[in-house]
Amino acid sequence: MNKYFSTKMSIFVFATPALLLFTVFCVYPLVPEIWMSLQKHNGFQSLGFVGLDNYKAIFASSSFWTAHKNTYLIVGISLLLGIPLSMTLALFMEIQTPRLRRFFKSAAMFPAILSVTVVAQIWLAFYEPNWGLFNSILRAIGMDSWTHSWLTEKNTVMLSIGLTFLWQYIGLNAMLFYTGIKTIPKSYYEAALIDGANFAQVCMRITIPLLQNIIKYVLILSTLGSMAFYSHVRVMTAGGPGDKSRTVIYQMYYTAFDTSEFGKGTAIAVVFILECLLISFLIQRFVARDKLEF
Amino acid sequence: MKYISRIFWIALGCTFLFPLYWMISIALKSKSEAYENPFGIPSSWKWQNFSEALSKYNYFTYLENSLIYTLGTIAITLASGSMLAYCLSRMQWRFNSSALFYVSLGLIVPIEVVVIPLFQLIKLLHLKDSYWALILPYSGFAIASCVLMLYAFLRSLPKELEEAACIDGTNVYQAFFKIIFPIIMPALVTQCVLIFIRIWNEFPLAFIIASKDQFRPLTVGLLSFFVNVGVSDWGLIGATMFLSSLPMIIVYMIGNEKIENALTAGAILK
Amino acid sequence: MSKASKLKSATLLAAVLLVVSACGNNTDSGSNQVSDNSPAPAASTDNSAGNEKKIKMRVITITTDENRNKIMDEYIKPNIEKALPNLEVEFEPGGGGEDMANKLKTLNASDDMPDVFWNDAGYFTPLKSTGSIMDLTSAITADGYIDKYAVPDALKHVDGKIYSLSSGADTYFTPVIFYHKDMFEQAGVKVPTTFDEFMQVSKTLKSKDMVPAVTPGKDGWGPKLFMLQQMIQIGDPQAMADLVSNKTDFSNPSVKEGVARIEKMAKEGVFPEGISNLDYGPAMEMFTSKRAAMLMMFTWELPNLAKDDTVDFFPFPSASDKYDPAKVVQFWGSPLNGYAVSAKTEHPDEAVKLAEFLAMADALYFESTGAPISLKTGNAASEKSPLMQKFIDWYNPIPTKIASFALNSLDARTSAELSSQGANLLTGEYAADSFVTAMDKIWSENTWFDN
């Protein structure tokens, strides 16, 4: 039957549209990008081939490294805080009453469906130093010394934006984990309970190991999602103060569009793609193991 | 103990819903009240904010654009993606595994980094002033995850499905549309939801490419509206934020369970 | 998904493949210029169909400050149909500041310039280097529009060409400190005449739980457009004039002192918390709602602020005897600021007419506020508010007017970097020395004066 269906014509018809779309709009742009990164370019025309000068220049710029620090801070927040927290939520969700669970499930995913522009604007009002929510609460409970100008102090700005990001997606991740938990056959738990294991032991020995696939999925999603972190910054601080809250993508846009140095901007993009490839490879290599079959 | 944990869960749930409350309450406040009483319940309900927002903000244009981008991307991605996934999982093609690997690279490259060349490509193809300028790149980038998920789904289906059709003398196209398409429907719905959420809220590419007002989706229209009103009239901002989020909120309220299932089905199949 | 739309998408993809393979060799965007310049057949159907159809024009202009919005609502939109019946004009909001600059740079890079746009020194260079901006000299000489200007030479850029048409109100814009008289009275403070007095006044206001002064700080707006210049100028006007004309650099001690004054203001609480992320709108709102006692702002807001009787203004107070506010002042105008026409427009004649109409709308508006303008409208001068009169009496006799640093000395990169560095200074966590070191390096790479 496979022979019968797999004519050259049918393969061509079925494979071409998607491969073409993918190649033209996802892969092809990398070619001019690399080419542009080797030139002095103002976005409109090349001002001469400069070899690796753009790369040297971006590595020598302190903003480039600030941007990396910020990007990896966001990645760190979403992996080290986001994943454990959402996993904890998911594990505890199982032992709640059905009504509470239904309420929580609908609430938790809500922020993820809102547009970034809206979420960022709302949090701008929370962080506003003079009348914003956080400072108002701190003042109301007499902790005036804890108030901050959250988005303009260099020590708090990135953490503040990171918290917004964490808040927006933690519920969604918890839901993903929770549904994974639901697919684990009940018999596994029953066996464990007969052995006299408590809740924590069940979680550690059964639930989490069996969730490997979903953990990996969320891990990749969170890592790549936070690597490309940009929109929140754009709306909340425009990268400021100075370059303190720029992420790599922001620095790329800034260099290309604000300073009209498209050669350097694309050089940042090329370096960044290599980083993404490397990180995906590491995840595939070290986190992903054999698939479990139930 | 049980009581405390219950309160904790309800409180946590409320923090996720707080923005909804805040958006609505600030939308009903006057300019001065928004500063004096930013987080409380509005003292007098100022519905004019909504009519003013509708008159100053091209809501319906942006809404229509967002719908066109989202639905267009879904249509193209699902059609071409399901065909490729079918080809890779069911047909004998010697490049099957390399094609699968090639497409999976698309998961890694974030759309944001290729904005500059993409922008020039769009210009080169004379797509600048059309909806294709965003639909085609969006589809190109959505194809990777769509193909991988449908591929996994199709692999789990028994081969005997088409064999009957084969005997009947049905050709491959009929088999695909009549037999496979209905079966992979659940997976398609899942992809549909995933793409919808992603494209509806996409910002960086739309910000650069859809620079003309008539082509802007809601996300970009909203930001330029904030910039234009100077971000000082929070009542007006709240009203536009609420209006912009409304379609998503409605979809979410109606299809809450379905969206949830779709998202998680996506996770499990990966 | 219907079969029809699938067919469509397949056809489209085939077309895409063809185009891409045809253009596959020239990945360099510069070489695409030629193909892009040929007007798309679809666009030209408008005029080939005869004169019945209106010519479409696209305009991008500033939309952030209240003056601009009033000009649009009260002078442009109600009159444009009558004045230019053959045109169908689409106005695209451009925002302001960096948003506007990025937008035009992006459109320019993609060869998608609007027919008429608000030009600004901040993004003029990239537009000029790509030949996207038209020299208007012959067009406005031919139709006599140039004769409406009191001083036509003032329209000329340093290269002798005319790129923009404005009302001329710009040259009367200068930064001052607006303040609420009643708030000063309440706090028992007087208008400061020296920088030290100003700091003292701020301290008193702050102790009375008032925000002393506010200005837009997001993206370093205030520091870049006037604060740096004012703070240098009040100590040493000559150093500032030298910096604008590239005769000195950031290592000049007077420049350093000026930067240190900004740091001092930021550190000692002259500004509200979060000033470096404060947008134009909220900054204005803070002052007009009397949550801040002073506002550092250009006089283009004077007509709007003058509506409140309690508002008055004073020039930036002096920090040394080298500076006298009656002898030297910063002026905003640049011949580059105004409505410009894209050199690539398909209808140059109509576009020039449109730009002329828009400049006249500006003039009519500013004239109605009592502001001085240099474009003759043919109307009798209107009544001036007392505050406007006070401003003109102070401003006109000043002998030395220093051009604005932000408009006349910075290329795109230096301008963007000065924005970030300026926002840094406003946080109060950034030392003046770091600012000077960073700017020194950026300044040495500034290409503005190269040609």
Side-chain angles (χ1 to χ4, degrees):
Chain A
M1 153 239 145
N2 269 323
K3 277 268 162 57
Y4 171 66
F5 276 166
S6 313
T7 60
K8 275 204 173 114
M9 181 61 193
S10 63
I11 290 175
F12 178 79
V13 169
F14 276 82
T16 313
L19 286 178
L20 188 62
L21 255 181
F22 179 71
T23 308
V24 171
F25 290 100
C26 194
V27 179
Y28 164 77
L30 299 175
V31 178
E33 181 139 272
I34 293 169
W35 178 239
M36 209 177 188
S37 75
L38 301 173
Q39 298 171 64
K40 192 170 161 63
H41 202 291
N42 64 7
F44 192 78
Q45 61 197 16
S46 169
L47 307 173
F49 187 85
V50 294
L52 294 175
D53 282 6
N54 286 329
Y55 290 89
K56 285 182 201 146
I58 58 166
F59 286 130
S61 125
S62 68
S63 296
F64 178 76
W65 299 110
T66 309
H68 267 86
K69 207 180 76 198
N70 288 336
T71 301
Y72 287 103
L73 179 73
I74 295 292
V75 173
I77 288 177
S78 57
L79 296 191
L80 301 179
L81 275 174
I83 291 186
L85 278 176
S86 43
M87 177 62 94
T88 316
L89 286 181
L91 290 172
F92 279 92
M93 206 173 327
E94 181 67 4
I95 53 173
Q96 303 303 316
T97 63
R99 248 176 72 201
L100 190 61
R101 192 158 59 217
R102 208 172 326 123
F103 162 74
F104 188 78
K105 270 159 63 177
S106 349
M109 295 222 314
F110 183 71
I113 62 152
L114 288 180
S115 121
V116 172
T117 323
V118 170
V119 169
Q121 201 68 41
I122 291 169
W123 282 72
L124 265 181
F126 291 177
Y127 286 129
E128 208 287 332
N130 302 293
W131 50 265
L133 184 70
F134 294 134
N135 280 356
S136 305
I137 292 176
L138 288 170
R139 284 189 197 110
I141 58 173
M143 293 167 70
D144 289 47
S145 59
W146 287 62
T147 60
H148 282 279
S149 175
W150 304 99
L151 294 176
T152 60
E153 286 174 28
K154 60 174 183 245
N155 294 328
T156 55
V157 58
M158 215 51 218
L159 290 172
S160 303
I161 301 176
L163 180 66
T164 306
F165 183 59
L166 193 66
W167 171 86
Q168 191 174 6
Y169 294 108
I170 196 170
L172 178 67
N173 286 346
M175 286 308 306
L176 293 177
F177 286 136
Y178 176 70
T179 331
I181 293 172
K182 295 297 283 179
T183 61
I184 297 171
K186 283 274 176 286
S187 53
Y188 281 61
Y189 291 108
E190 278 150 18
L193 287 173
I194 291 166
D195 291 348
N198 64 22
F199 178 67
Q201 286 168 326
V202 170
C203 288
M204 292 312 289
R205 286 199 209 137
I206 299 177
T207 320
I208 293 179
L210 287 176
L211 282 180
Q212 254 199 61
N213 266 335
I214 292 196
I215 295 177
K216 181 186 146 200
Y217 172 75
V218 174
L219 196 68
I220 294 180
L221 216 65
S222 302
T223 313
L224 294 175
S226 40
M227 286 288 281
F229 192 64
Y230 159 78
S231 310
H232 294 78
V233 175
R234 162 82 227 175
V235 183
M236 290 173 81
T237 61
D243 60 2
K244 297 293 179 301
S245 63
R246 284 187 206 152
T247 58
V248 177
I249 299 283
Y250 197 96
Q251 179 66 17
M252 179 196 92
Y253 277 96
Y254 173 82
T255 312
F257 291 103
D258 288 20
T259 73
S260 295
E261 295 172 309
F262 279 75
K264 284 184 198 165
T266 44
I268 295 175
V270 171
V271 171
F272 188 66
I273 291 170
L274 293 178
E275 283 172 57
C276 289
L277 284 172
L278 179 70
I279 285 173
S280 319
F281 171 76
L282 290 178
I283 295 177
Q284 290 291 344
R285 182 78 182 70
F286 294 108
V287 183
R289 276 177 257 153
D290 298 326
K291 234 183 166 168
L292 284 171
E293 304 278 350
F294 298 138
Chain B
M1 182 61 205
K2 216 168 197 175
Y3 199 62
I4 294 171
S5 96
R6 254 183 135 161
I7 290 180
F8 168 78
W9 281 85
I10 293 174
L12 195 63
C14 288
T15 61
F16 290 123
L17 291 175
F18 185 73
L20 182 63
Y21 154 77
W22 185 75
M23 217 156 42
I24 297 170
S25 83
I26 200 115
L28 295 169
K29 289 173 187 170
S30 66
K31 197 170 173 175
S32 55
E33 200 196 343
Y35 283 101
E36 282 149 22
N37 171 26
F39 301 101
I41 293 167
S43 57
S44 64
W45 293 20
K46 197 173 169 253
W47 291 101
Q48 298 95 293
N49 279 335
F50 282 99
S51 51
E52 203 184 333
L54 281 176
S55 71
K56 285 193 177 173
Y57 174 60
N58 297 335
Y59 177 65
F60 292 104
T61 313
Y62 299 148
L63 180 65
E64 190 192 323
N65 293 344
S66 276
L67 282 172
I68 292 174
Y69 291 133
T70 314
L71 299 180
T73 307
I74 289 176
I76 291 186
T77 312
L78 293 190
S80 59
S82 61
M83 280 160 69
L84 180 61
Y86 180 72
C87 169
L88 296 183
S89 62
R90 296 297 236 235
M91 293 183 182
Q92 285 176 338
W93 185 31
R94 63 199 173 98
F95 297 112
N96 266 347
S97 59
S98 36
L100 193 66
F101 175 73
Y102 174 64
V103 169
S104 71
L105 289 178
L107 288 178
I108 298 163
V109 180
I111 198 164
E112 289 87 349
V113 295
V114 292
V115 162
I116 299 160
L118 210 47
F119 183 66
Q120 287 173 327
L121 180 68
I122 297 296
K123 182 178 98 186
L124 184 74
L125 300 179
H126 292 287
L127 294 174
K128 189 82 211 319
D129 287 326
S130 74
Y131 291 108
W132 296 113
L134 279 176
I135 293 178
L136 293 178
Y138 283 163
S139 307
F141 273 82
I143 271 174
S145 76
C146 177
V147 169
L148 290 182
M149 187 181 145
L150 293 176
Y151 175 80
F153 194 90
L154 283 164
R155 289 283 292 220
S156 68
L157 296 178
K159 290 215 163 120
E160 292 77 39
L161 270 176
E162 299 110 308
E163 264 165 25
C166 184
I167 294 159
D168 287 351
T170 325
N171 69 29
V172 61
Y173 307 103
Q174 288 165 326
F176 178 71
F177 285 108
K178 293 207 180 118
I179 302 170
I180 300 299
F181 224 70
I183 294 175
I184 59 171
M185 217 25 127
L188 290 179
V189 172
T190 304
Q191 271 301 316
C192 202
V193 171
L194 291 175
I195 298 173
F196 190 92
I197 294 181
R198 191 165 139 189
I199 302 304
W200 188 266
N201 289 330
E202 201 278 336
F203 174 81
L205 193 64
F207 181 66
I208 299 287
I209 288 183
S211 54
K212 275 197 189 178
D213 208 43
Q214 72 188 97
F215 289 113
R216 281 184 186 148
L218 278 168
T219 42
V220 180
L222 195 61
L223 182 69
S224 52
F225 181 76
F226 293 159
V227 171
N228 293 343
V229 299
V231 207
S232 58
D233 193 339
W234 278 96
L236 207 52
I237 287 171
T240 48
M241 286 199 301
F242 181 71
L243 286 173
S244 306
S245 310
L246 199 59
M248 239 357 219
I249 295 174
I250 292 171
V251 169
Y252 183 62
M253 279 176 165
I254 297 171
N256 187 351
E257 296 273 308
K258 282 220 175 68
I259 292 178
E260 206 176 281
N261 293 339
L263 284 176
T264 43
I268 292 162
L269 279 169
K270 263 260 164 108
Chain C
M1 179 86 198
S2 71
K3 279 186 184 172
S5 54
K6 190 177 290 170
L7 194 71
K8 256 190 220 162
S9 61
T11 328
L12 186 100
L13 278 164
V16 166
L17 177 68
L18 272 175
V19 180
V20 168
S21 58
C23 308
N25 301 333
N26 30 350
T27 44
D28 168 20
S29 69
S31 51
N32 305 333
Q33 230 172 301
V34 185
S35 64
D36 274 9
N37 277 348
S38 58
S44 56
T45 48
D46 278 341
N47 43 346
S48 61
N51 297 332
E52 319 257 303
K53 274 206 173 163
K54 290 186 169 192
I55 297 171
K56 279 194 180 161
M57 283 278 157
R58 200 163 134 239
V59 177
I60 299 188
T61 176
I62 317 178
T63 41
T64 38
D65 69 274
E66 205 158 320
N67 294 325
R68 293 287 148 205
N69 294 336
K70 277 189 190 148
I71 293 171
M72 183 57 73
D73 291 342
E74 293 166 20
Y75 289 86
I76 297 179
K77 288 206 168 140
N79 302 323
I80 194 160
E81 277 271 357
K82 225 195 301 170
L84 303 162
N86 57 332
L87 300 185
E88 186 186 331
V89 183
E90 180 200 343
F91 288 98
E92 200 175 313
E98 285 296 306
D99 285 311
M100 176 84 180
N102 286 342
K103 180 167 204 151
L104 281 172
K105 282 190 258 178
T106 310
L107 290 174
N108 186 39
S110 67
D111 215 2
D112 188 27
M113 286 296 282
D115 301 284
V116 176
F117 54 94
W118 181 265
N119 183 32
D120 184 290
Y123 44 81
F124 167 74
T125 338
L127 302 191
K128 192 193 164 206
S129 69
T130 53
S132 315
I133 187 163
M134 191 193 280
D135 176 9
L136 302 168
T137 317
S138 59
I140 64 167
T141 313
D143 67 7
Y145 193 80
I146 197 167
D147 301 328
K148 294 184 181 173
Y149 281 94
V151 192
D153 274 351
L155 292 171
K156 287 183 183 154
H157 183 52
V158 282
D159 64 4
K161 293 177 180 166
I162 297 173
Y163 294 106
S164 312
L165 300 178
S166 73
S167 63
D170 270 27
T171 41
Y172 292 90
F173 294 150
T174 184
V176 295
I177 302 179
F178 292 96
Y179 70 103
H180 284 290
K181 287 183 271 190
D182 52 339
M183 290 175 82
F184 267 38
E185 224 163 87
Q186 208 182 317
V189 293
K190 286 208 176 67
V191 170
T193 55
T194 68
F195 185 72
D196 293 336
E197 278 175 36
F198 172 81
M199 293 306 295
Q200 200 50 51
V201 164
S202 300
K203 221 169 260 175
T204 316
L205 287 166
K206 198 172 164 69
S207 70
K208 305 257 153 108
D209 265 350
M210 298 174 192
V211 173
V214 72
T215 198
K218 193 165 189 173
D219 252 340
W221 193 94
K224 178 165 98 177
L225 298 193
F226 68 86
M227 206 186 285
L228 177 66
Q229 177 153 9
Q230 289 298 323
M231 288 302 130
I232 297 172
Q233 197 167 303
I234 59 173
D236 186 353
Q238 192 54 46
M240 193 58 231
D242 287 348
L243 192 62
V244 172
S245 52
N246 199 25
K247 285 184 198 132
T248 187
D249 54 30
F250 280 78
S251 61
N252 183 319
S254 297
V255 173
K256 283 186 180 169
E257 278 167 31
V259 176
R261 280 180 203 116
I262 303 182
E263 190 195 357
K264 187 171 182 193
M265 289 195 291
K267 279 219 166 93
E268 297 187 10
V270 170
F271 302 115
E273 282 200 69
I275 173 84
S276 64
N277 204 29
L278 192 68
D279 256 321
Y280 192 98
M284 292 298 296
E285 165 73 24
M286 269 187 107
F287 179 72
T288 51
S289 66
K290 297 200 177 180
R291 283 180 298 130
M294 294 183 274
L295 168 73
M296 297 179 178
M297 180 47 74
F298 284 88
T299 48
W300 61 62
E301 291 288 354
L302 191 143
N304 300 320
L305 295 169
K307 283 177 213 144
D308 184 342
D309 297 336
T310 69
V311 173
D312 197 355
F313 76 89
F314 57 89
F316 279 80
S318 164
S320 90
D321 45 13
K322 288 183 195 160
Y323 167 81
D324 176 352
K327 296 248 169 68
V328 61
V329 73
Q330 169 189 356
F331 76 97
W332 180 245
S334 152
L336 294 175
N337 282 26
Y339 295 100
V341 175
S342 163
K344 292 166 187 166
T345 174
E346 288 163 37
H347 311 281
D349 297 340
E350 288 79 5
V352 171
K353 285 272 170 280
L354 180 56
E356 290 175 351
F357 168 80
L358 294 171
M360 190 53 84
D362 274 24
L364 288 166
Y365 167 75
F366 284 111
E367 190 182 54
S368 77
T369 66
I373 47 172
S374 61
L375 177 59
K376 290 175 220 157
T377 60
N379 294 347
S382 63
E383 192 92 352
K384 291 178 174 57
S385 68
L387 203 61
M388 183 59 87
Q389 195 60 53
K390 178 184 168 183
F391 164 69
I392 292 170
D393 293 344
W394 163 65
Y395 186 82
N396 276 354
I398 297 175
T400 311
K401 295 188 166 95
I402 303 179
S404 286
F405 184 57
L407 294 185
N408 297 287
S409 319
L410 312 172
D411 66 7
R413 173 160 176 262
T414 315
S415 176
E417 295 283 1
L418 180 58
S419 292
S420 341
Q421 290 293 330
N424 270 339
L425 261 188
L426 279 187
T427 61
E429 293 183 312
Y430 195 65
D433 285 342
S434 321
F435 177 92
V436 169
T437 316
M439 277 317 295
D440 219 12
K441 181 164 183 294
I442 297 160
W443 184 248
S444 69
E445 293 158 8
N446 185 13
T447 60
W448 177 269
F449 298 100
D450 284 0
N451 37 20

